[in-house]
Amino acid sequence: MAAAVSSAKPVLRVAAVCGSLRKASYNGGLLRAAAEVCEESIPGLRVEHMDISALPLLNTDLETADGGFPPAVEAFRDQVRSADCFLFGSPEYNYSIATPLKNALDWASRGKNCWADKPAAIVSAGGGFGGGRSQYHFRQVGVFLDLHFINKPELFVQAFQQPPKFDSDGNLVDAEIRERIKQVLLSLQAFTLRIQKD
C-alpha cells in the first residue's frame, strides 16, 4: 500500500491569474477552459483561479513598518506562495501587460519575492496578434521576478476572427484551441515536475 502511495503522481496546483477584470473576458475564458481540460483529461494537475480584483493599486504607503501588507495583498501573496506553478491569461493593452495583472505581479514581488523560482505559462486572446506583444513584454518582467516560463507551445488566440472562438459570456467554444490549451498544460506539468525534481 505504501509503495502505491509513493509512486502516485503528485497533484500540482496551477494558480490561474487573469489580467482582465471584465466578467466576460476572453482571457478568463481561456483559464476556465484550462481548468475544465485538467479535470477532464490531465491527471495530477489542478487549476485554481486567483482573483486579483480586490488588490489595491500598488502604494508602498499601505505597507506597515514591520513589512506587512493590506489584508487582500497578504491573502494573495499566500496563494502565490502555495502554488506549484502559474497559468497567466494576459490581455494586451497598448502593446503591453494589462494594469490589473502588472499590479498583482508587483504586489507579490514586494519584500520577499513570492514568484521566485516557479514555473509558469502564458495564454492570451485579443485582436491582431492575439495578445502576443503582452506575452513578450511579460517575459521581460518575468526575468526580474525569476519566473521560469515554458517556451513552447505558445498560444495567441485571435479572438475576433471567424469562426467565433468564444460565446457571449466569454466561454471558449473552439475545440482546436481547447486542444492547444491542453498541450500548454501538459508542457507546464512536465516542466514543473522537472524543476521540482531538480
Side-chain angles (χ1 to χ4, degrees), residues 1-156:
M1 182 69 174
V5 171
S6 63
S7 64
K9 181 180 276 189
V11 176
L12 298 176
R13 297 182 60 209
V14 184
V17 183
C18 182
S20 172
L21 305 183
R22 189 171 69 90
K23 185 177 179 181
S25 162
Y26 295 151
N27 289 278
L30 293 177
L31 299 184
R32 288 191 298 276
E36 294 165 1
V37 167
C38 282
E39 190 172 334
E40 294 165 2
S41 61
I42 307 181
L45 205 62
R46 184 175 74 244
V47 173
E48 300 174 355
H49 178 70
M50 292 206 312
D51 185 8
I52 62 174
S53 63
L55 295 176
L57 285 176
L58 182 70
N59 179 354
T60 56
D61 288 343
L62 300 177
E63 298 175 15
T64 62
D66 62 354
F69 300 93
V73 175
E74 289 282 13
F76 178 71
R77 288 169 60 88
D78 286 344
Q79 286 182 296
V80 172
R81 280 191 292 264
S82 66
D84 292 300
C85 56
F86 304 99
L87 178 64
F88 295 98
S90 183
E92 181 177 315
Y93 287 85
N94 300 322
Y95 284 15
S96 188
I97 307 164
T99 301
L101 178 55
K102 185 59 165 62
N103 188 55
L105 295 171
D106 291 344
W107 269 125
S109 71
R110 293 286 301 162
K112 183 173 174 56
N113 177 15
C114 301
W115 306 105
D117 207 29
K118 293 197 177 186
I122 318 170
V123 295
S124 59
F129 191 9
R133 296 179 188 89
S134 74
Q135 288 201 29
Y136 293 147
H137 193 185
F138 193 169
R139 287 176 181 272
Q140 287 182 293
V141 174
V143 172
F144 182 81
L145 297 178
D146 198 23
L147 278 167
H148 306 305
F149 289 109
I150 63 168
N151 290 323
K152 299 291 181 183
E154 296 178 308
L155 180 59
F156 315 117

